[in-house]
Amino acid sequence: MDRRSVLKAGMVLISTSVAASIFRPAGAALRVLNGGTKWLAKETLPPSPVDPTKRMFLTDKEVAQVTAIFDRLIPADEVSVSASQAGCVVFIDHQLVTPWAAGALRYLSGPEEKGSSTQGNQSLRTPAYVYRTGLAELDKYCLDHLGNSFEALSIEQQDELLEQMENGQVQLASIPSNALFSQLLSNVQEGFFADPIYGGNKDMAGWKMVGFPGARYDYRDYVNLKGQKLDIIPVSLIGRI
């Protein structure tokens, strides 16, 4: 805002106040009205913690595939645990039965148009469909061209195939391989860094790796500790788990 706009806005407020005083009946006084229903904020409960012992969407075969893929995208090393060790497979298994997986927040009525690179995903395929169909098509491709399922390939073969998928060089039956790769990559990242209440980020491994303090209420105990190593223990939505 420039100064002229601010001054104009101030003049409007002054004019309104003057007009109100001019047209107020003589002897009238302002009153405070009491009573009515007190406004209360709606109570918002946290999500229920995921039960890692329950299978929600993925079949045994799909779990083996997703585990192998996720662990190549985020392998275990000296910095942190692997994706599956951090619960990322549990995370996506439970996410795949949510409205998000059914495309509840997306327009799916068609027609499907190919968008530009700046318009994002324009596909009518839901995440649940991408997993169920894409993993089946990937398995067929691996058997036909490499003689084994993805999870049975060597690490070198898995990495090479994933790189080809990322570049859209793997010809699956119906789903573009780069679309399947993008879905898997996004979800493993989400599972690795989401709040542990959703099943991933077990023991807050992802947060500890990057130094994220989690769902803390405030930082008043730390604001004046400048230049010091804080070593803040992360906190989940359901406490320190």
Side-chain angles (χ1 to χ4, degrees), residues 204-231:
M204 293 176 280
W207 290 355
K208 291 174 181 176
M209 183 182 72
V210 298
F212 180 65
R216 285 184 167 270
Y217 178 72
D218 64 46
Y219 298 89
R220 285 175 290 182
D221 295 337
Y222 302 95
V223 291
N224 293 322
L225 303 179
K226 298 180 180 180
Q228 301 181 35
K229 186 174 176 58
L230 300 180
D231 292 322

Side-chain angles (χ1 to χ4, degrees), residues 26 36 90 92 94 102 123 134 138 141 169 173-175 180 186 200 203 207 229 231 234 237:
V90 173
I92 192 56
H94 284 254
S123 169
L138 177 62
Y141 178 91
Q169 298 170 342
S174 65
I175 295 183
L180 176 59
S186 295
D203 298 325
W207 290 355
K229 186 174 176 58
D231 292 322
L237 287 174

Side-chain angles (χ1 to χ4, degrees), residues 20-124:
S21 63
I22 292 175
F23 292 105
R24 184 183 301 138
L30 297 176
R31 291 187 303 159
V32 177
L33 300 178
N34 298 311
T37 303
K38 183 179 180 181
W39 181 84
L40 296 174
K42 181 181 178 181
E43 183 179 14
T44 303
L45 298 176
S48 300
V50 160
D51 183 351
T53 66
K54 291 184 177 180
R55 182 78 59 76
M56 305 301 293
F57 179 87
L58 298 172
T59 65
D60 290 344
K61 170 65 177 179
E62 290 166 342
V63 166
Q65 289 177 283
V66 173
T67 299
I69 294 170
F70 277 9
D71 281 353
R72 293 316 305 150
L73 296 175
I74 303 181
D77 56 20
E78 67 280 0
V79 177
S80 187
V81 298
S82 71
S84 64
Q85 291 171 330
C88 295
V89 181
V90 173
F91 166 82
I92 192 56
D93 178 52
H94 284 254
Q95 289 298 309
L96 285 170
V97 293
T98 64
W100 162 80
L105 301 179
R106 298 177 58 187
Y107 176 78
L108 299 175
S109 297
E112 182 173 344
E113 300 287 346
K114 182 175 176 58
S116 68
S117 59
T118 61
Q119 290 178 313
N121 183 10
Q122 302 294 308
S123 169
L124 303 182

Side-chain angles (χ1 to χ4, degrees), residues 81-221:
V81 298
S82 71
S84 64
Q85 291 171 330
C88 295
V89 181
V90 173
F91 166 82
I92 192 56
D93 178 52
H94 284 254
Q95 289 298 309
L96 285 170
V97 293
T98 64
W100 162 80
L105 301 179
R106 298 177 58 187
Y107 176 78
L108 299 175
S109 297
E112 182 173 344
E113 300 287 346
K114 182 175 176 58
S116 68
S117 59
T118 61
Q119 290 178 313
N121 183 10
Q122 302 294 308
S123 169
L124 303 182
R125 295 182 291 266
T126 66
Y129 179 86
V130 170
Y131 269 84
R132 183 117 297 158
T133 304
L135 290 175
E137 293 181 358
L138 177 62
D139 191 56
K140 186 177 187 310
Y141 178 91
C142 289
L143 291 172
D144 291 346
H145 293 82
L146 300 171
N148 254 324
S149 296
F150 182 91
E151 59 271 26
L153 299 175
S154 67
I155 290 177
E156 292 74 20
Q157 287 177 306
Q158 290 176 345
D159 288 348
E160 183 179 0
L161 181 57
L162 287 173
E163 185 176 346
Q164 292 171 348
M165 288 173 61
E166 182 179 18
N167 295 325
Q169 298 170 342
V170 177
Q171 190 62 46
L172 303 181
S174 65
I175 295 183
S177 61
N178 55 348
L180 176 59
F181 178 89
S182 178
Q183 186 74 67
L184 291 161
L185 179 61
S186 295
N187 295 151
V188 73
Q189 291 170 333
E190 291 163 353
F192 203 78
F193 293 109
D195 193 284
I197 200 171
Y198 298 106
N201 194 11
K202 185 178 180 181
D203 298 325
M204 293 176 280
W207 290 355
K208 291 174 181 176
M209 183 182 72
V210 298
F212 180 65
R216 285 184 167 270
Y217 178 72
D218 64 46
Y219 298 89
R220 285 175 290 182
D221 295 337

